[in-house]
Amino acid sequence: MVRVTNSVARKRRKKRLLKQAKGYFGDRKNHIRNAKNVLMKAWANAFVGRKEKKRDFRSLWIQRINAASRCHGISYSKLMDGLKKANIDIDRKILAKLAIEDEKAFEAVVSAAKKALV
């Protein structure tokens, strides 16, 4: 009988884990058990962060659209209602970009929304 070990795969797994824990403080970076616990927590936080990022950006776009639309004499909610009634299908990301970069295009969109409301 030959004794079989899992040494190659085990070493690769440990190496990969410690490589991901690189830069952590103290024992967290060079002890497998500590590194594994810290990485599990980090991955969980990263998952949550990816979801929060989407919320944060949407909120930012809404704030930018609201500020720009108020300069043209219409609130954010009325602008969005007018766009829906005018069958203009522009998402908030693009609207926010227009508000910052292309003032004339945003003004045209606002005027179309105002016409739809009347």
Side-chain angles (χ1 to χ4, degrees), residues 16-67:
R16 187 173 57 225
L17 236 161
L18 289 176
K19 188 177 180 185
Q20 287 184 316
K22 196 173 177 183
Y24 288 170
F25 183 79
D27 286 351
R28 295 172 154 213
K29 70 176 170 283
N30 49 20
H31 288 96
I32 294 296
R33 189 181 298 164
N34 294 345
K36 195 172 185 182
N37 289 335
V38 167
L39 283 171
M40 294 292 262
K41 184 77 173 173
W43 292 332
N45 288 336
F47 180 85
V48 171
R50 286 193 299 275
K51 306 302 168 201
E52 284 177 348
K53 184 176 164 186
K54 293 166 182 62
R55 284 179 237 155
D56 292 344
F57 268 104
R58 185 181 168 95
S59 174
L60 177 67
W61 298 329
I62 289 171
Q63 289 170 19
R64 286 177 175 171
I65 295 165
N66 189 23

Side-chain angles (χ1 to χ4, degrees), residues 49-103:
R50 286 193 299 275
K51 306 302 168 201
E52 284 177 348
K53 184 176 164 186
K54 293 166 182 62
R55 284 179 237 155
D56 292 344
F57 268 104
R58 185 181 168 95
S59 174
L60 177 67
W61 298 329
I62 289 171
Q63 289 170 19
R64 286 177 175 171
I65 295 165
N66 189 23
S69 63
R70 285 184 188 275
C71 291
H72 293 287
I74 188 171
S75 70
Y76 168 78
S77 60
K78 286 199 170 107
L79 173 70
M80 296 314 281
D81 185 38
L83 290 176
K84 195 172 280 185
K85 287 178 180 172
N87 289 325
I88 298 173
D89 201 26
I90 303 176
D91 65 355
R92 285 160 182 81
K93 180 180 178 179
I94 302 301
L95 259 177
K97 200 168 189 175
L98 281 178
I100 292 172
E101 295 174 6
D102 194 357
E103 187 68 31

